[in-house]
Amino acid sequence: MKKTMTSRVVALVACCALLGLTSSALGLSEQFQGRIFQGGKLKPVDSQPKLKVGDKAPDFTLPSLSGEPVSLHQFLGKKNVVISFVPAAWTPVCSEQWPGYNIVKGLFEAADATIIGITTDNIATLYAWTEQMGGVWFPVLSDFWPHGEVAGKYGVLRSGGVSERALFIIDKQGIVRYIDIHDINERPNLETLIGELQKVK
C-alpha cells in the first residue's frame, strides 16, 4: 500500500515536472498582470530562527477567510500540516506560490497533508487577493493583529512587519519535522517539499 502511494506521488511529481508546473512555468498568471506591486529585490532573510527540527510546534488560533478561526491543534492526530508563511498579498512571488499549490493539491492529499497559508495581511486584503487567484483549497489565515504574533513565535517575522517566505512541516503529533526559511525573493522548490512530506508519513 505504501509502495503504491509512493509510486503515485512520484508519478504526480514527474507529471508536473513534464508540464513545467513545478518550476518556471508557474509564472504570474494573466489575471494578476498589472495588479502586482513590484517591490524590488529584498534582503533574503531578515529574522532570527527560534525553532529547530524536533521542537514542538507553537500552537495558534487565527481568523481565516471562511470566517471561522483555525487552530493548529485541530489537525493533531489527523493530518500532517504544511504551514506556508508568505510575506504579502499582491506581490510577485507570493502570487505565484499559492496558485501553484492549487494545481498540485493531489500531491498533498497523497502525503496525508494539508496546507495552512499565513500572511500578516488583513482579512479584506487576503479575500480580494485569493479571489483574484480563483480561490485556494487550503485555509488562509490572517496574522494581522496582534500584528505578526504567530510569525514571531515561529521566528519568521521580518523587521519590516511582514513574514519571511517560510515552510514548516508539522507532523500529526505536533512536532516540527522540516523548516525552510527561504530567500524571500524566490519560490521554494515543490519537489523538495513533497519529498520531505514523504518522510513524515
Side-chain angles (χ1 to χ4, degrees), residues 40-163:
K41 193 171 180 65
L42 301 175
K43 182 179 178 181
V45 176
D46 183 43
S47 61
Q48 293 297 318
K50 292 183 178 178
L51 297 176
K52 62 183 184 302
V53 171
D55 285 347
K56 185 170 180 58
D59 194 20
F60 57 80
T61 300
L62 287 172
S64 74
L65 289 185
S66 71
E68 296 294 326
V70 172
S71 302
L72 179 62
H73 68 254
Q74 70 190 65
F75 298 97
L76 286 175
K78 301 174 183 174
K79 289 282 185 183
N80 299 310
V81 174
V82 176
I83 301 176
S84 171
F85 287 97
V86 297
W90 303 105
T91 54
V93 180
C94 302
S95 299
E96 299 169 359
Q97 185 175 343
W98 283 2
Y101 296 152
N102 268 353
I103 296 170
V104 295
K105 177 183 177 184
L107 295 176
F108 293 93
E109 291 177 338
D112 202 17
T114 190
I115 303 174
I116 295 177
I118 302 177
T119 86
T120 57
D121 297 291
N122 64 26
I123 286 287
T125 298
L126 288 172
Y127 174 79
W129 184 50
T130 54
E131 283 295 300
Q132 193 71 34
M133 294 176 192
V136 293
W137 61 271
F138 49 87
V140 172
L141 313 185
S142 170
D143 192 16
F144 180 71
W145 196 260
H147 192 81
E149 182 177 61
V150 174
K153 287 181 179 177
Y154 278 74
V156 293
L157 185 64
R158 293 172 67 97
S159 58
V162 301
S163 75

Side-chain angles (χ1 to χ4, degrees), residues 21-35:
L21 295 178
T22 60
S23 57
S24 59
L26 270 178
L28 204 58
S29 57
E30 288 185 4
Q31 67 262 39
F32 281 112
Q33 298 297 332
R35 294 182 171 85

